[in-house]
Amino acid sequence: MYHILPEIAICLPLFFDAELLFTGLNNLKVLTIADERFDEYFGFTDKEVKELLEYYGLMDHYEAVKRWYDGYQFGNVGVYCPWDVLNHCDRLRSNPDAQPENYWINTSSNDAVKRFIQESANAATRREIENLVAGEAIMKEIHQELTYPEIYETIDNIWSLLFTTGYLTQLGNAEGRQMKLAIPNREIRDIFETQIMEFVKENVKKDGETLNCFCDALQKGDAENAERIFSDYLKRTISIRDTAVRIDRKENYYHSVLIGILGVKDRWGISSNREMGEGYADILVEPDTGDIGIIIEVKYAHDGDLERACKEALKQIEYTRYEDDLEDDGVENILKYGIACYKKRCKVMLAENG
């Protein structure tokens, strides 16, 4: 579904001959989203958004609206997605504390992004997806004249589809067919992240045997083997390393991946952010043997120092006394792990008293 109309057609008075009697509707002038004419009319300009927010007394929300719904370039003009701006303003009028949300995701199937991520079997495409989600731009050859049967013939054509449907936008001027593409805003990045996590879940099912070995290594206290398996898995998976968000959001990605992996053990009890001791444990694992408890604290090593981040995670487990609840329940063997991640690298460390 197009939220910002991708093209318009204008009938022009052209030379008429008998040939037109047999060819139906033709001789149209097509203006695409890369053309300069009428560029400002396909969305709201920054000035128009400010006037709208000012009119409704919502200027305090300007920065959030810009971060979530701005970022499109039509021709030479930057515009906001009008559908999102109007929906969010409508919510804010009834609830001034309403947070920005994804209005687009509820009005289309997002099959383009889903199919694109599923086609990312090669390492180069995976890196390009990661770069886009991290807020970077990439150069691609774009064909705006593709027909529907051609769209999914190659991964290169899908770039054109993502551009013409608004999942990617152009930055600067094109060099022939070569365009610098980027994810326009927080809303579309959210769609990419959601589909990436779905892709991760599908991969967990396919890699069941390998990931069972990871779980077994955790249960045995074999941090070295658990680290090796998890590292190999991260290298084969699209990661979310968004440089524009807080560190805890990056941690959430690796947290979710671990929860998905541990889910291969369908008889294990897996708890996320469970209140324990004097805080909330990231992940609590209770194997079906009943005599072992596994506490995992996940950290994102923003400076790349995985060992230090692991030690911080273990220190947090000790300080907050996560194991008290397990000991009260009679669990004698408690394994405490700090797991630190940075891009495609990870380190797994077991507490000495584990």
Side-chain angles (χ1 to χ4, degrees):
M1 177 180 292
Y2 294 119
H3 296 281
I4 302 179
L5 193 63
E7 58 184 36
I8 61 172
I10 303 175
C11 294
L12 299 177
L14 300 175
F15 182 76
F16 177 86
D17 61 23
E19 197 176 5
L20 296 181
L21 295 174
F22 308 102
T23 56
L25 182 65
N26 60 5
N27 292 331
L28 302 177
K29 182 67 177 179
V30 177
L31 301 182
T32 71
I33 58 180
D35 288 306
E36 294 81 10
R37 281 175 287 181
F38 309 106
D39 48 15
E40 65 182 286
Y41 299 108
F42 289 104
F44 292 159
T45 64
D46 191 65
K47 178 182 177 183
E48 290 167 339
V49 169
K50 286 180 177 177
E51 291 175 352
L52 179 66
L53 295 174
E54 185 74 40
Y55 179 82
Y56 288 109
L58 301 172
M59 272 303 292
D60 289 347
H61 299 273
Y62 168 74
E63 291 297 334
V65 170
K66 183 176 181 63
R67 185 168 58 253
W68 273 77
Y69 310 123
D70 189 18
Y72 290 98
Q73 179 178 326
F74 273 57
N76 292 324
V77 175
V79 296
Y80 292 67
C81 177
W83 167 262
D84 298 313
V85 173
L86 291 175
N87 272 280
H88 191 53
C89 285
D90 183 51
R91 285 194 66 231
L92 287 172
R93 291 181 65 196
S94 58
N95 178 14
D97 296 324
Q99 297 299 308
E101 64 179 61
N102 197 318
Y103 298 101
W104 191 332
I105 203 167
N106 295 322
T107 59
S108 65
S109 64
N110 301 305
D111 280 343
V113 175
K114 182 177 182 180
R115 181 70 174 268
F116 174 54
I117 291 173
Q118 289 174 337
E119 295 288 335
S120 61
N122 63 77
T125 303
R126 285 201 302 272
R127 279 197 301 272
E128 288 173 324
I129 295 173
E130 291 166 357
N131 290 342
L132 286 170
V133 176
E136 300 172 18
I138 60 173
M139 289 293 293
K140 286 294 172 182
E141 183 173 307
I142 297 299
H143 301 269
Q144 299 186 71
E145 71 283 357
L146 288 175
T147 62
Y148 282 106
E150 297 172 317
I151 288 174
Y152 294 113
E153 285 183 353
T154 71
I155 189 71
D156 291 332
N157 288 347
I158 301 181
W159 291 107
S160 299
L161 174 65
L162 293 171
F163 170 66
T164 56
T165 51
Y167 290 104
L168 296 176
T169 192
Q170 174 185 353
L171 297 182
N173 296 320
E175 300 177 8
R177 290 184 180 271
Q178 293 291 323
M179 291 187 182
K180 185 181 289 186
L181 304 177
I183 293 175
N185 51 44
R186 176 66 255 181
E187 179 186 43
I188 302 302
R189 188 177 293 117
D190 184 65
I191 293 175
F192 272 85
E193 291 177 359
T194 299
Q195 293 299 332
I196 288 171
M197 287 310 305
E198 289 298 319
F199 180 71
V200 168
K201 291 176 183 177
E202 291 174 6
N203 277 356
V204 166
K205 296 176 183 178
K206 295 177 183 177
D207 296 334
E209 183 175 348
T210 300
L211 298 180
N212 263 299
C213 292
F214 170 79
C215 296
D216 292 340
L218 286 180
Q219 186 175 8
K220 295 173 183 176
D222 186 353
E224 183 178 348
N225 204 25
E227 179 181 313
R228 178 186 60 80
I229 297 171
F230 191 36
S231 294
D232 289 343
Y233 182 76
L234 289 177
K235 291 174 184 176
R236 294 183 287 108
T237 303
I238 300 172
S239 68
I240 296 174
R241 50 180 184 83
D242 191 342
T243 57
V245 298
R246 301 185 310 270
I247 292 174
D248 60 351
R249 186 175 176 87
K250 297 174 186 178
E251 289 177 359
N252 288 344
Y253 165 73
Y254 296 100
H255 180 121
S256 298
V257 171
L258 282 168
I259 290 291
I261 291 174
L262 293 165
V264 301
K265 294 287 191 179
D266 53 7
R267 292 190 177 184
W268 283 16
I270 312 295
S271 302
S272 177
N273 295 314
R274 173 172 160 179
E275 186 174 4
M276 298 181 67
E278 299 179 12
Y280 292 84
D282 273 355
I283 302 173
L284 171 65
V285 183
E286 298 176 272
D288 52 356
T289 58
D291 59 343
I292 297 176
I294 302 172
I295 300 171
I296 301 173
E297 187 69 26
V298 183
K299 292 292 182 185
Y300 183 78
H302 59 93
D303 58 357
D305 191 337
L306 294 168
E307 183 168 353
R308 184 170 67 181
C310 272
K311 289 178 179 178
E312 289 177 0
L314 294 176
K315 184 177 180 180
Q316 182 173 331
I317 292 174
E318 291 299 326
Y319 177 76
T320 51
R321 301 294 303 171
Y322 288 158
E323 73 271 21
D324 287 355
D325 287 1
L326 292 175
E327 291 175 347
D328 290 343
D329 290 336
V331 178
E332 297 179 357
N333 190 5
I334 301 174
L335 303 172
K336 291 172 279 189
Y337 287 96
I339 298 182
C341 301
Y342 178 70
K343 297 184 178 180
K344 297 285 188 177
R345 296 190 291 123
C346 78
K347 185 168 187 60
V348 179
M349 190 177 291
L350 178 66
E352 292 181 3
N353 63 346

PDB file of all heavy atoms in Angstrom, residues 93-112:
ATOM      1  N   ARG A  93      -4.276  14.518  20.203  1.00  0.00           N
ATOM      2  CA  ARG A  93      -5.375  15.396  20.605  1.00  0.00           C
ATOM      3  C   ARG A  93      -6.226  14.750  21.690  1.00  0.00           C
ATOM      4  O   ARG A  93      -6.770  15.435  22.555  1.00  0.00           O
ATOM      5  CB  ARG A  93      -6.245  15.743  19.391  1.00  0.00           C
ATOM      6  CG  ARG A  93      -5.549  16.644  18.376  1.00  0.00           C
ATOM      7  CD  ARG A  93      -6.459  16.962  17.229  1.00  0.00           C
ATOM      8  NE  ARG A  93      -7.592  17.762  17.680  1.00  0.00           N
ATOM      9  CZ  ARG A  93      -8.708  17.939  16.955  1.00  0.00           C
ATOM     10  NH1 ARG A  93      -8.830  17.347  15.778  1.00  0.00           N
ATOM     11  NH2 ARG A  93      -9.684  18.683  17.421  1.00  0.00           N
ATOM     12  N   SER A  94      -6.328  13.434  21.674  1.00  0.00           N
ATOM     13  CA  SER A  94      -7.110  12.744  22.708  1.00  0.00           C
ATOM     14  C   SER A  94      -6.246  12.269  23.867  1.00  0.00           C
ATOM     15  O   SER A  94      -6.728  12.066  24.969  1.00  0.00           O
ATOM     16  CB  SER A  94      -7.850  11.551  22.100  1.00  0.00           C
ATOM     17  OG  SER A  94      -6.944  10.638  21.503  1.00  0.00           O
ATOM     18  N   ASN A  95      -4.939  12.101  23.596  1.00  0.00           N
ATOM     19  CA  ASN A  95      -4.025  11.656  24.644  1.00  0.00           C
ATOM     20  C   ASN A  95      -2.683  12.366  24.455  1.00  0.00           C
ATOM     21  O   ASN A  95      -1.824  11.906  23.697  1.00  0.00           O
ATOM     22  CB  ASN A  95      -3.823  10.140  24.581  1.00  0.00           C
ATOM     23  CG  ASN A  95      -2.826   9.659  25.633  1.00  0.00           C
ATOM     24  OD1 ASN A  95      -2.480  10.387  26.567  1.00  0.00           O
ATOM     25  ND2 ASN A  95      -2.347   8.435  25.464  1.00  0.00           N
ATOM     26  N   PRO A  96      -2.463  13.487  25.144  1.00  0.00           N
ATOM     27  CA  PRO A  96      -1.225  14.270  24.974  1.00  0.00           C
ATOM     28  C   PRO A  96       0.043  13.496  25.315  1.00  0.00           C
ATOM     29  O   PRO A  96       1.138  13.910  24.915  1.00  0.00           O
ATOM     30  CB  PRO A  96      -1.421  15.440  25.939  1.00  0.00           C
ATOM     31  CG  PRO A  96      -2.903  15.536  26.138  1.00  0.00           C
ATOM     32  CD  PRO A  96      -3.403  14.130  26.074  1.00  0.00           C
ATOM     33  N   ASP A  97      -0.091  12.381  26.048  1.00  0.00           N
ATOM     34  CA  ASP A  97       1.079  11.592  26.421  1.00  0.00           C
ATOM     35  C   ASP A  97       1.343  10.434  25.455  1.00  0.00           C
ATOM     36  O   ASP A  97       2.235   9.611  25.694  1.00  0.00           O
ATOM     37  CB  ASP A  97       0.907  11.035  27.832  1.00  0.00           C
ATOM     38  CG  ASP A  97       0.838  12.141  28.878  1.00  0.00           C
ATOM     39  OD1 ASP A  97       1.549  13.150  28.712  1.00  0.00           O
ATOM     40  OD2 ASP A  97       0.060  12.002  29.846  1.00  0.00           O
ATOM     41  N   ALA A  98       0.569  10.348  24.384  1.00  0.00           N
ATOM     42  CA  ALA A  98       0.720   9.246  23.431  1.00  0.00           C
ATOM     43  C   ALA A  98       2.112   9.258  22.817  1.00  0.00           C
ATOM     44  O   ALA A  98       2.624  10.306  22.427  1.00  0.00           O
ATOM     45  CB  ALA A  98      -0.338   9.346  22.343  1.00  0.00           C
ATOM     46  N   GLN A  99       2.729   8.084  22.738  1.00  0.00           N
ATOM     47  CA  GLN A  99       4.051   7.948  22.137  1.00  0.00           C
ATOM     48  C   GLN A  99       3.931   7.625  20.652  1.00  0.00           C
ATOM     49  O   GLN A  99       2.945   7.023  20.215  1.00  0.00           O
ATOM     50  CB  GLN A  99       4.836   6.843  22.843  1.00  0.00           C
ATOM     51  CG  GLN A  99       5.111   7.126  24.309  1.00  0.00           C
ATOM     52  CD  GLN A  99       5.942   8.382  24.513  1.00  0.00           C
ATOM     53  OE1 GLN A  99       7.004   8.533  23.909  1.00  0.00           O
ATOM     54  NE2 GLN A  99       5.454   9.291  25.353  1.00  0.00           N
ATOM     55  N   PRO A 100       4.916   8.031  19.843  1.00  0.00           N
ATOM     56  CA  PRO A 100       4.866   7.685  18.414  1.00  0.00           C
ATOM     57  C   PRO A 100       4.773   6.175  18.234  1.00  0.00           C
ATOM     58  O   PRO A 100       5.357   5.404  19.004  1.00  0.00           O
ATOM     59  CB  PRO A 100       6.194   8.223  17.879  1.00  0.00           C
ATOM     60  CG  PRO A 100       6.591   9.292  18.837  1.00  0.00           C
ATOM     61  CD  PRO A 100       6.106   8.832  20.175  1.00  0.00           C
ATOM     62  N   GLU A 101       4.044   5.763  17.238  1.00  0.00           N
ATOM     63  CA  GLU A 101       3.934   4.346  16.955  1.00  0.00           C
ATOM     64  C   GLU A 101       3.922   4.126  15.453  1.00  0.00           C
ATOM     65  O   GLU A 101       3.889   5.067  14.668  1.00  0.00           O
ATOM     66  CB  GLU A 101       2.684   3.740  17.595  1.00  0.00           C
ATOM     67  CG  GLU A 101       1.386   4.276  17.064  1.00  0.00           C
ATOM     68  CD  GLU A 101       0.194   3.614  17.728  1.00  0.00           C
ATOM     69  OE1 GLU A 101       0.036   3.729  18.960  1.00  0.00           O
ATOM     70  OE2 GLU A 101      -0.582   2.970  17.002  1.00  0.00           O
ATOM     71  N   ASN A 102       3.944   2.855  15.089  1.00  0.00           N
ATOM     72  CA  ASN A 102       4.011   2.504  13.678  1.00  0.00           C
ATOM     73  C   ASN A 102       2.594   2.391  13.118  1.00  0.00           C
ATOM     74  O   ASN A 102       1.916   1.395  13.331  1.00  0.00           O
ATOM     75  CB  ASN A 102       4.760   1.178  13.517  1.00  0.00           C
ATOM     76  CG  ASN A 102       5.232   0.956  12.111  1.00  0.00           C
ATOM     77  OD1 ASN A 102       4.502   1.227  11.170  1.00  0.00           O
ATOM     78  ND2 ASN A 102       6.443   0.469  11.957  1.00  0.00           N
ATOM     79  N   TYR A 103       2.152   3.421  12.396  1.00  0.00           N
ATOM     80  CA  TYR A 103       0.815   3.405  11.797  1.00  0.00           C
ATOM     81  C   TYR A 103       0.818   2.686  10.452  1.00  0.00           C
ATOM     82  O   TYR A 103      -0.199   2.178  10.015  1.00  0.00           O
ATOM     83  CB  TYR A 103       0.308   4.838  11.616  1.00  0.00           C
ATOM     84  CG  TYR A 103       0.169   5.584  12.917  1.00  0.00           C
ATOM     85  CD1 TYR A 103       1.135   6.502  13.316  1.00  0.00           C
ATOM     86  CD2 TYR A 103      -0.904   5.351  13.776  1.00  0.00           C
ATOM     87  CE1 TYR A 103       1.027   7.183  14.520  1.00  0.00           C
ATOM     88  CE2 TYR A 103      -1.023   6.019  14.981  1.00  0.00           C
ATOM     89  CZ  TYR A 103      -0.048   6.939  15.343  1.00  0.00           C
ATOM     90  OH  TYR A 103      -0.154   7.596  16.545  1.00  0.00           O
ATOM     91  N   TRP A 104       1.970   2.634   9.819  1.00  0.00           N
ATOM     92  CA  TRP A 104       2.079   2.002   8.508  1.00  0.00           C
ATOM     93  C   TRP A 104       1.935   0.487   8.621  1.00  0.00           C
ATOM     94  O   TRP A 104       1.306  -0.165   7.786  1.00  0.00           O
ATOM     95  CB  TRP A 104       3.442   2.344   7.919  1.00  0.00           C
ATOM     96  CG  TRP A 104       3.641   1.990   6.471  1.00  0.00           C
ATOM     97  CD1 TRP A 104       3.044   0.990   5.767  1.00  0.00           C
ATOM     98  CD2 TRP A 104       4.509   2.654   5.556  1.00  0.00           C
ATOM     99  NE1 TRP A 104       3.493   0.987   4.474  1.00  0.00           N
ATOM    100  CE2 TRP A 104       4.389   1.995   4.310  1.00  0.00           C
ATOM    101  CE3 TRP A 104       5.374   3.723   5.673  1.00  0.00           C
ATOM    102  CZ2 TRP A 104       5.119   2.382   3.185  1.00  0.00           C
ATOM    103  CZ3 TRP A 104       6.096   4.101   4.546  1.00  0.00           C
ATOM    104  CH2 TRP A 104       5.967   3.442   3.323  1.00  0.00           C
ATOM    105  N   ILE A 105       2.524  -0.103   9.650  1.00  0.00           N
ATOM    106  CA  ILE A 105       2.603  -1.558   9.750  1.00  0.00           C
ATOM    107  C   ILE A 105       1.221  -2.208   9.824  1.00  0.00           C
ATOM    108  O   ILE A 105       1.040  -3.372   9.498  1.00  0.00           O
ATOM    109  CB  ILE A 105       3.458  -1.970  10.971  1.00  0.00           C
ATOM    110  CG1 ILE A 105       4.024  -3.376  10.788  1.00  0.00           C
ATOM    111  CG2 ILE A 105       2.665  -1.869  12.276  1.00  0.00           C
ATOM    112  CD1 ILE A 105       5.112  -3.737  11.773  1.00  0.00           C
ATOM    113  N   ASN A 106       0.215  -1.444  10.252  1.00  0.00           N
ATOM    114  CA  ASN A 106      -1.134  -1.983  10.363  1.00  0.00           C
ATOM    115  C   ASN A 106      -1.945  -1.838   9.078  1.00  0.00           C
ATOM    116  O   ASN A 106      -3.095  -2.269   9.015  1.00  0.00           O
ATOM    117  CB  ASN A 106      -1.889  -1.288  11.502  1.00  0.00           C
ATOM    118  CG  ASN A 106      -1.276  -1.580  12.850  1.00  0.00           C
ATOM    119  OD1 ASN A 106      -0.826  -2.691  13.109  1.00  0.00           O
ATOM    120  ND2 ASN A 106      -1.251  -0.587  13.724  1.00  0.00           N
ATOM    121  N   THR A 107      -1.359  -1.215   8.040  1.00  0.00           N
ATOM    122  CA  THR A 107      -2.126  -0.968   6.817  1.00  0.00           C
ATOM    123  C   THR A 107      -1.533  -1.652   5.594  1.00  0.00           C
ATOM    124  O   THR A 107      -2.056  -1.511   4.501  1.00  0.00           O
ATOM    125  CB  THR A 107      -2.195   0.547   6.535  1.00  0.00           C
ATOM    126  OG1 THR A 107      -0.864   1.058   6.406  1.00  0.00           O
ATOM    127  CG2 THR A 107      -2.913   1.269   7.645  1.00  0.00           C
ATOM    128  N   SER A 108      -0.454  -2.396   5.754  1.00  0.00           N
ATOM    129  CA  SER A 108       0.105  -3.154   4.645  1.00  0.00           C
ATOM    130  C   SER A 108       0.765  -4.405   5.199  1.00  0.00           C
ATOM    131  O   SER A 108       1.058  -4.505   6.382  1.00  0.00           O
ATOM    132  CB  SER A 108       1.124  -2.310   3.864  1.00  0.00           C
ATOM    133  OG  SER A 108       2.228  -2.009   4.678  1.00  0.00           O
ATOM    134  N   SER A 109       1.008  -5.382   4.330  1.00  0.00           N
ATOM    135  CA  SER A 109       1.528  -6.668   4.787  1.00  0.00           C
ATOM    136  C   SER A 109       3.039  -6.648   4.992  1.00  0.00           C
ATOM    137  O   SER A 109       3.593  -7.570   5.591  1.00  0.00           O
ATOM    138  CB  SER A 109       1.180  -7.747   3.757  1.00  0.00           C
ATOM    139  OG  SER A 109       1.830  -7.480   2.526  1.00  0.00           O
ATOM    140  N   ASN A 110       3.721  -5.619   4.464  1.00  0.00           N
ATOM    141  CA  ASN A 110       5.174  -5.527   4.566  1.00  0.00           C
ATOM    142  C   ASN A 110       5.880  -6.731   3.952  1.00  0.00           C
ATOM    143  O   ASN A 110       6.975  -7.115   4.363  1.00  0.00           O
ATOM    144  CB  ASN A 110       5.610  -5.360   6.029  1.00  0.00           C
ATOM    145  CG  ASN A 110       5.016  -4.114   6.653  1.00  0.00           C
ATOM    146  OD1 ASN A 110       5.184  -3.016   6.139  1.00  0.00           O
ATOM    147  ND2 ASN A 110       4.300  -4.290   7.744  1.00  0.00           N
ATOM    148  N   ASP A 111       5.211  -7.335   2.956  1.00  0.00           N
ATOM    149  CA  ASP A 111       5.798  -8.495   2.283  1.00  0.00           C
ATOM    150  C   ASP A 111       7.105  -8.156   1.593  1.00  0.00           C
ATOM    151  O   ASP A 111       7.981  -9.020   1.458  1.00  0.00           O
ATOM    152  CB  ASP A 111       4.815  -9.062   1.247  1.00  0.00           C
ATOM    153  CG  ASP A 111       3.745  -9.923   1.894  1.00  0.00           C
ATOM    154  OD1 ASP A 111       3.950 -10.342   3.057  1.00  0.00           O
ATOM    155  OD2 ASP A 111       2.704 -10.180   1.256  1.00  0.00           O
ATOM    156  N   ALA A 112       7.248  -6.907   1.127  1.00  0.00           N
ATOM    157  CA  ALA A 112       8.478  -6.520   0.423  1.00  0.00           C
ATOM    158  C   ALA A 112       9.691  -6.669   1.333  1.00  0.00           C
ATOM    159  O   ALA A 112      10.711  -7.245   0.944  1.00  0.00           O
ATOM    160  CB  ALA A 112       8.359  -5.086  -0.085  1.00  0.00           C
TER     161      ALA A 112
END
